[in-house]
């Protein structure tokens, strides 16, 4: 291996969001530095189940269908609904 081309690999302290700490080896900072995590397994939705909140929203298509669900863009469905409306009008006149 070539000398003096590799980063310094040393021991640091990692501090989790809940205050727990552990020691590991890393190229981060200098020997003895502390790495403060903003997101870890205690706060990330992948581990906390927060992803379910994202799934409940369902997105734009679901919002559109909820708002305009009765609208049909198909010509055949439009004809059927017009025929049904005409039959209802004919029945009500009798």
């Amino acid at each position: 291996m070539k000398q003096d081309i590799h980063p310094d690999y040393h021991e640091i302290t990692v501090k989790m969001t809940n205050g727990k700490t552990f020691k590991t080896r890393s190229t981060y900072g200098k020997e003895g530095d502390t790495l403060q995590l903003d997101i870890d397994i205690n706060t990330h939705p992948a581990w906390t189940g927060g992803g379910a909140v994202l799934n409940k929203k369902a997105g734009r298509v679901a919002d559109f269908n909820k708002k305009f669900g009765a609208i049909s863009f198909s010509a055949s469905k439009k004809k059927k609904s017009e025929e049904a409306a005409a039959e209802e009008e004919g029945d009500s006149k009798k």
Side-chain angles (χ1 to χ4, degrees):
M1 286 187 0
K2 291 184 179 180
Q3 296 298 319
D4 300 325
I5 64 166
H6 300 288
D8 181 32
Y9 193 63
H10 49 269
E11 191 173 274
I12 64 165
T13 303
V14 178
K15 187 173 183 181
M16 310 272 280
T17 56
N18 63 358
K20 292 183 181 179
T21 61
F22 65 92
K23 294 202 180 280
T24 188
R25 293 181 53 81
S26 174
T27 57
Y28 171 81
K30 297 181 175 134
E31 179 80 27
D33 280 355
T34 300
L35 174 63
Q36 175 70 44
L37 298 179
D38 294 328
I39 298 174
D40 62 12
I41 61 171
N42 298 312
T43 58
H44 195 280
W47 286 281
T48 60
V53 173
L54 298 174
N55 293 336
K56 286 181 184 175
K57 291 200 175 222
R60 292 182 177 187
V61 173
D63 289 343
F64 178 86
N65 288 337
K66 184 169 44 168
K67 188 172 183 179
F68 302 107
I71 295 175
S72 173
F73 298 106
S74 169
S76 63
K77 288 183 181 178
K78 186 175 181 182
K79 283 184 182 179
K80 287 180 184 177
S81 64
E82 288 174 356
E83 289 172 0
E87 286 179 13
E88 287 180 13
E89 285 181 22
D91 290 341
S92 64
K93 290 180 180 179
K94 290 182 182 179

